[in-house]
Coordinates of all heavy atoms in Angstrom, one line a residue:
S18 N -59.6 26.1 -27.3 CA -58.2 26.1 -27.3 C -57.6 25.0 -26.5 O -56.4 24.7 -26.6 CB -57.7 27.5 -26.7 OG -58.1 27.5 -25.3
S19 N -58.4 24.2 -25.7 CA -57.8 23.1 -25.0 C -57.7 21.8 -25.8 O -57.2 20.9 -25.3 CB -58.7 22.9 -23.7 OG -60.0 22.5 -24.1
S21 N -57.3 20.0 -29.9 CA -57.0 20.2 -31.3 C -58.1 19.6 -32.1 O -59.0 19.0 -31.6 CB -55.7 19.5 -31.7 OG -55.8 18.1 -31.6
P29 N -50.0 19.4 -22.4 CA -49.7 18.1 -21.7 C -50.1 18.2 -20.2 O -49.9 19.2 -19.6 CB -48.2 18.0 -21.9 CG -47.7 19.3 -22.3 CD -48.8 20.1 -22.8
A36 N -48.1 9.5 -13.7 CA -48.9 8.4 -13.3 C -48.7 7.2 -14.2 O -48.5 6.1 -13.8 CB -50.4 8.7 -13.2
A46 N -40.8 -2.4 -10.3 CA -40.4 -2.6 -8.9 C -40.8 -3.9 -8.4 O -40.1 -4.5 -7.6 CB -41.0 -1.4 -8.1
S52 N -36.2 -10.4 -8.0 CA -35.0 -10.6 -8.8 C -33.8 -11.1 -8.0 O -33.8 -10.8 -6.7 CB -34.6 -9.3 -9.5 OG -34.1 -8.4 -8.6
P53 N -32.8 -11.7 -8.6 CA -31.6 -12.1 -7.9 C -30.9 -10.9 -7.2 O -30.2 -11.1 -6.2 CB -30.7 -12.7 -8.9 CG -31.7 -13.1 -10.0 CD -32.8 -12.1 -10.0
R54 N -31.1 -9.7 -7.7 CA -30.4 -8.6 -7.1 C -31.0 -8.2 -5.7 O -30.2 -7.7 -4.9 CB -30.6 -7.4 -8.1 CG -29.9 -6.1 -7.7 CD -30.2 -5.1 -8.7 NE -29.0 -4.2 -8.7 CZ -28.6 -3.6 -9.7 NH1 -29.2 -3.6 -10.9 NH2 -27.5 -2.8 -9.7
W62 N -30.6 -19.5 -6.3 CA -31.3 -20.4 -7.3 C -30.8 -20.0 -8.7 O -30.5 -20.9 -9.4 CB -32.8 -20.2 -7.1 CG -33.6 -21.0 -8.2 CD1 -33.8 -22.3 -8.2 CD2 -34.2 -20.4 -9.4 NE1 -34.6 -22.6 -9.3 CE2 -34.8 -21.5 -10.1 CE3 -34.3 -19.1 -9.9 CZ2 -35.5 -21.3 -11.3 CZ3 -34.9 -18.9 -11.1 CH2 -35.5 -20.0 -11.8
A64 N -28.1 -18.5 -9.7 CA -26.7 -18.8 -9.9 C -26.4 -20.2 -10.1 O -25.5 -20.6 -10.8 CB -25.9 -18.3 -8.6
P74 N -24.8 -10.0 -19.0 CA -24.5 -9.8 -17.5 C -25.7 -9.3 -16.8 O -26.5 -8.5 -17.4 CB -23.3 -8.8 -17.5 CG -22.9 -8.6 -18.9 CD -23.9 -9.1 -19.8
S92 N -45.6 6.2 -23.9 CA -46.4 5.7 -25.0 C -47.9 5.6 -24.6 O -48.7 6.1 -25.4 CB -45.8 4.4 -25.5 OG -46.6 3.8 -26.5
L95 N -49.4 9.0 -24.5 CA -49.7 9.6 -25.8 C -51.1 9.0 -26.3 O -51.9 9.8 -26.9 CB -48.6 9.2 -26.8 CG -47.3 10.0 -26.6 CD1 -46.3 9.4 -27.6 CD2 -47.5 11.5 -26.8
R103 N -61.8 6.5 -31.2 CA -62.7 5.3 -30.8 C -61.8 4.1 -30.4 O -62.3 3.2 -29.8 CB -63.6 5.0 -31.9 CG -63.0 4.4 -33.2 CD -64.0 4.0 -34.2 NE -63.4 3.4 -35.3 CZ -63.3 4.0 -36.5 NH1 -63.8 5.2 -36.7 NH2 -62.7 3.4 -37.5
A111 N -55.4 -3.1 -23.8 CA -54.3 -4.0 -24.2 C -53.0 -3.6 -23.5 O -52.2 -4.5 -23.0 CB -54.0 -3.8 -25.7
A120 N -45.7 -7.8 -15.0 CA -45.5 -7.8 -13.5 C -45.6 -9.2 -13.0 O -45.0 -9.5 -11.9 CB -46.5 -6.9 -12.8
A123 N -41.6 -12.2 -13.1 CA -40.5 -12.4 -12.1 C -41.0 -13.1 -10.9 O -40.3 -14.0 -10.4 CB -39.9 -11.0 -11.7
F127 N -38.5 -16.2 -10.9 CA -37.6 -16.1 -9.7 C -38.3 -16.4 -8.4 O -37.7 -17.2 -7.6 CB -37.0 -14.7 -9.6 CG -36.1 -14.3 -10.7 CD1 -36.4 -13.2 -11.6 CD2 -34.9 -15.0 -11.0 CE1 -35.5 -12.9 -12.6 CE2 -34.1 -14.7 -12.0 CZ -34.4 -13.6 -12.8
I132 N -39.4 -22.2 -14.1 CA -38.9 -21.7 -15.4 C -40.0 -21.9 -16.5 O -40.1 -21.0 -17.4 CB -37.6 -22.4 -15.8 CG1 -36.5 -22.2 -14.7 CG2 -37.1 -22.0 -17.2 CD1 -35.3 -23.1 -14.9
W148 N -49.9 -7.2 -29.7 CA -51.3 -6.7 -29.8 C -51.4 -5.3 -29.4 O -52.1 -4.5 -30.0 CB -52.1 -7.7 -28.9 CG -53.6 -7.2 -28.7 CD1 -54.4 -6.8 -29.6 CD2 -54.3 -7.2 -27.4 NE1 -55.7 -6.5 -29.0 CE2 -55.6 -6.8 -27.7 CE3 -53.9 -7.5 -26.1 CZ2 -56.5 -6.7 -26.7 CZ3 -54.9 -7.4 -25.2 CH2 -56.2 -7.0 -25.5
I150 N -49.1 -3.0 -29.6 CA -48.5 -2.2 -30.7 C -49.6 -2.0 -31.8 O -49.7 -0.9 -32.3 CB -47.2 -2.8 -31.2 CG1 -46.1 -2.6 -30.1 CG2 -46.8 -2.1 -32.5 CD1 -44.8 -3.3 -30.4
R157 N -52.3 6.2 -32.6 CA -51.2 7.1 -32.8 C -49.9 6.3 -33.1 O -49.4 5.6 -32.2 CB -51.0 8.0 -31.6 CG -50.1 9.1 -31.8 CD -50.4 10.3 -30.9 NE -49.5 11.4 -31.3 CZ -49.1 12.3 -30.4 NH1 -49.6 12.3 -29.2 NH2 -48.3 13.2 -30.7
A158 N -49.4 6.5 -34.3 CA -48.3 5.7 -34.7 C -47.0 5.9 -33.9 O -46.3 4.9 -33.6 CB -47.9 6.0 -36.2
G172 N -38.6 -10.2 -26.7 CA -38.3 -11.3 -27.6 C -37.0 -12.0 -27.2 O -36.9 -13.2 -27.2
N178 N -35.1 -17.2 -21.7 CA -36.0 -18.0 -20.8 C -36.1 -19.4 -21.4 O -35.9 -20.4 -20.7 CB -37.3 -17.4 -20.7 CG -38.1 -17.9 -19.5 OD1 -39.0 -17.2 -19.0 ND2 -38.0 -19.2 -19.1

Side-chain angles (χ1 to χ4, degrees):
S18 65
S19 65
S21 71
S52 74
R54 185 178 212 152
W62 174 78
S92 178
L95 289 173
R103 70 175 183 253
F127 291 119
I132 302 168
W148 172 46
I150 289 173
R157 190 150 182 210
N178 195 153

